[in-house]
Amino acid sequence: MGQRKRYSKAFKEDAVRVMRARGTRTVAQVAAELNVSPSLLHRWHAAMAPDSGAEAPQREPTEDVEALRRRLRQVEQENTLLKKAAALFAKEVK
């Protein structure tokens, strides 16, 4: 068995910077380009996360996500209406 490869702190920081700015590439693609495993890249990212409690920047939701949110609101409204109708019918039965 070979020895474990060691990476410098600068390499790890650069790798995490590339991962964060990956654009349309996946983490696996970035890891392959850097010749490291995706799980190792994720561990470096987690280790370098700020402990300040600040949230990571949010990505803009896609149209699909927005459509799903609209559909969820519609289904929730329908569910509320059905609950009220069921309560009304239950009162008439008594």
Side-chain angles (χ1 to χ4, degrees):
M1 295 209 132
Q3 288 195 347
R4 182 180 291 187
K5 175 97 169 127
R6 297 195 184 267
Y7 299 96
S8 68
K9 184 175 180 178
F11 179 82
K12 292 176 185 179
E13 290 171 350
D14 288 342
V16 169
R17 191 173 304 114
V18 169
M19 184 183 107
R20 289 178 180 161
R22 66 183 184 258
T24 59
R25 296 178 298 169
T26 65
V27 174
Q29 290 170 329
V30 172
E33 290 172 9
L34 298 172
N35 201 25
V36 298
S37 71
S39 62
L40 185 59
L41 197 52
H42 280 293
R43 282 195 307 246
W44 292 345
H45 180 262
M48 292 180 191
D51 293 332
S52 64
E55 292 186 21
Q58 296 292 324
R59 293 180 11 186
E60 292 296 319
T62 63
E63 293 176 12
D64 292 338
V65 174
E66 288 299 324
L68 289 171
R69 286 181 180 158
R70 283 192 300 273
R71 178 69 179 131
L72 177 61
R73 282 191 296 273
Q74 178 185 359
V75 168
E76 287 173 339
Q77 290 173 349
E78 291 171 357
N79 191 21
T80 302
L81 180 66
L82 289 171
K83 284 180 183 179
K84 289 178 181 179
L88 181 66
F89 288 127
K91 286 181 181 178
E92 289 180 4
V93 172
K94 290 183 180 182

